[in-house]
Amino acid sequence: MVNKVCTFCGNEIEPGTGMTYIRKDGNIFNFCSRKCRVNMLKLKRVPRRIKWTREYQNLKRLRKNSESQRQKVEQEGSH
């Protein structure tokens, strides 16, 4: 059995739960909850901008790491 991942928030969907939505153009979306489905389809929100999604958390982590590296380079250059 394959574990599905929510298209919006990135969390794993337990077998027997969630919803699969198929658009007319053939794109398949898997949602873990109504909250995720409404945010993506009805409200047309982008997961990168919603703080509780995995995609936002990953981008936040990348930004933090790049800023810390930039600060290290600046400190080394000033000495």
Side-chain angles (χ1 to χ4, degrees), residues 19-64:
M19 178 183 161
T20 301
Y21 181 84
I22 304 172
R23 285 199 314 206
K24 290 180 182 178
D25 63 1
N27 287 339
I28 298 173
F29 299 109
N30 295 306
F31 298 109
C32 62
S33 64
R34 182 176 187 274
K35 178 181 178 180
C36 292
R37 180 172 49 97
V38 169
N39 270 288
M40 186 162 200
L41 300 177
K42 187 175 179 185
L43 302 176
K44 300 183 193 269
R45 292 187 173 152
V46 180
R48 293 186 307 267
R49 298 180 183 164
I50 308 298
K51 291 185 178 184
W52 49 269
T53 61
R54 285 243 169 104
E55 197 169 339
Y56 179 89
Q57 296 298 323
N58 289 340
L59 288 174
K60 183 178 173 184
R61 191 177 311 118
L62 287 173
R63 277 190 234 122
K64 187 176 181 181

